Amino acid sequence: MICPSCPNNIESKILYHSNHQKDAKHVKDVKCMSEIHFKPTLFKCKKCNLIFSEYINVKTEESYTAVEDDRYIQQIPFKKKNFELLFSKISPYLKNNQEVLEIGSYYGILGSIIKPHVKKYTGLELSKHAAEYSRKNFNLDIANEHLNEFLNKKNLFDVIIMCDVIEHLDNPFEIIKKIEKNLKKDGIFIFSTMNMDSILPKIMRGKYFWIMPQHKFYFTNSTLKFFLKKNKMNIFKIKNDARLVSIEYLLFKLCVFLPKIDFIFKFLLKFNFLKKITIKINLFDLNIYFAKKID
């Protein structure tokens, strides 16, 4: 396949090959708690080293508008604990005189934590259901519109946050360019994603559990630094992104990732006391990136 980020039709090589027949419908299930999971074929550019999926040409943005993720809503008490942990890591860069945009605000949990600490919080969310839930339950200012349309208005923000979104985007390079234009002078872009140069994906290779049809692009620290620098942003800090999750969520994900032994996890899910336990998971493969707009 041709690299989507390089000019002059730079070819790529197959990094990991899938045994599944290509089926675009699998990439359309974009819920956070999706039950669809198989390994798409991944390619790696011979020039810029970008890793990308066979599904990069399948447009999925419109699929997010109809998402209703009831499983996620049930997990909100546990998700809140996780986002409080995330907030503790990003809070040094949030001030009470700042205007903050969160891209992909989903059901508003992080936004509800951020809002009391800044001058103005705005969430941007494609899912009509999630946007309405955020307004009703957290009294958040949520823009329910397409990312390109919103960013084309060039509203300026001190901080733009994007958690676990960049890997889903139809065109992350165009969005990075527009994010820079929506940042005030010395503005900060904070985002999270997996690091394909970390130990776990290198060991698991094509079986790495975050390789899934909903994830179109896969980055390393060096590729992210390269793409942001091209768009006048400099990554000045990288923090490890440990997660707090419920046992129920973990078992659900294990059912999806390991279907051959899912009967074990389904059996454990019958014990209600396990569902109420929160555990910390840190496999050192997820990072939070802090980038600053430069002149």
Side-chain angles (χ1 to χ4, degrees), residues 105-106 108 121-125 130-132 134-135 140-144:
S105 54
Y106 215 37
Y121 167 89
T122 302
L124 178 59
E125 175 54 48
E132 185 57 34
S134 302
R135 297 186 190 110
L140 294 177
D141 178 14
I142 305 293
N144 181 219

Side-chain angles (χ1 to χ4, degrees), residues 1-16 41-54 56-57 217:
M1 288 185 73
I2 302 299
C3 176
S5 74
C6 289
N8 304 321
N9 295 328
I10 299 296
E11 279 287 350
S12 56
K13 62 181 180 181
I14 292 178
L15 184 64
Y16 305 127
T41 295
L42 295 191
F43 297 83
K44 185 174 183 179
C45 177
K46 296 178 181 179
K47 183 178 180 180
C48 72
N49 294 319
L50 175 70
I51 299 170
F52 55 94
S53 164
E54 62 184 312
I56 56 167
N57 295 320
F217 294 91

Side-chain angles (χ1 to χ4, degrees), residues 90-184:
I90 69 175
S91 59
Y93 305 97
L94 300 175
K95 298 179 176 60
N96 58 15
N97 63 343
Q98 291 179 330
E99 296 184 53
V100 174
L101 170 68
E102 183 189 3
I103 297 173
S105 54
Y106 215 37
Y107 283 90
I109 309 169
L110 180 58
S112 68
I113 298 169
I114 291 174
K115 183 180 176 180
H117 300 274
V118 299
K119 178 181 177 181
K120 180 174 172 55
Y121 167 89
T122 302
L124 178 59
E125 175 54 48
L126 268 175
S127 165
K128 296 177 181 178
H129 186 258
E132 185 57 34
Y133 185 97
S134 302
R135 297 186 190 110
K136 182 179 179 181
N137 291 274
F138 298 120
N139 193 31
L140 294 177
D141 178 14
I142 305 293
N144 181 219
E145 57 185 289
H146 291 279
L147 184 49
N148 272 309
E149 292 174 4
F150 182 89
L151 294 177
N152 282 340
K153 297 175 184 177
K154 295 184 181 178
N155 297 305
L156 294 180
F157 297 91
D158 298 285
V159 179
I160 296 178
I161 298 169
M162 192 166 72
C163 296
D164 301 342
V165 171
I166 193 170
E167 62 269 18
H168 294 265
L169 295 174
D170 289 339
N171 190 337
F173 318 105
E174 180 182 0
I175 297 304
I176 288 172
K177 184 182 296 185
K178 292 184 178 182
I179 284 173
E180 186 273 331
K181 295 184 183 303
N182 280 261
L183 280 172
K184 295 179 183 179

Side-chain angles (χ1 to χ4, degrees), residues 31 33 67-76 106-107 129:
K31 295 191 297 291
M33 301 289 281
V67 164
E68 296 186 17
D69 202 340
D70 292 331
R71 281 184 181 271
Y72 188 95
I73 292 173
Q74 293 169 10
Q75 287 290 309
I76 282 180
Y106 215 37
Y107 283 90
H129 186 258

Side-chain angles (χ1 to χ4, degrees), residues 29 31-37 71 214 252-253 255-256:
D29 186 352
K31 295 191 297 291
C32 176
M33 301 289 281
S34 171
E35 296 185 34
I36 291 180
H37 184 74
R71 281 184 181 271
Q214 301 93 332
F252 169 79
K253 283 297 186 182
C255 286
V256 176

Side-chain angles (χ1 to χ4, degrees), residues 248-282:
E248 182 179 22
Y249 173 84
L250 177 61
L251 291 173
F252 169 79
K253 283 297 186 182
L254 289 173
C255 286
V256 176
F257 293 150
L258 302 170
K260 291 183 180 180
I261 56 171
D262 66 354
F263 64 93
I264 299 174
F265 312 123
K266 287 178 179 178
F267 172 75
L268 293 173
L269 280 168
K270 293 179 180 180
F271 297 95
N272 287 326
F273 76 93
L274 285 176
K275 298 179 181 181
K276 299 177 182 179
I277 300 173
T278 302
I279 61 171
K280 187 174 184 178
I281 297 179
N282 191 356

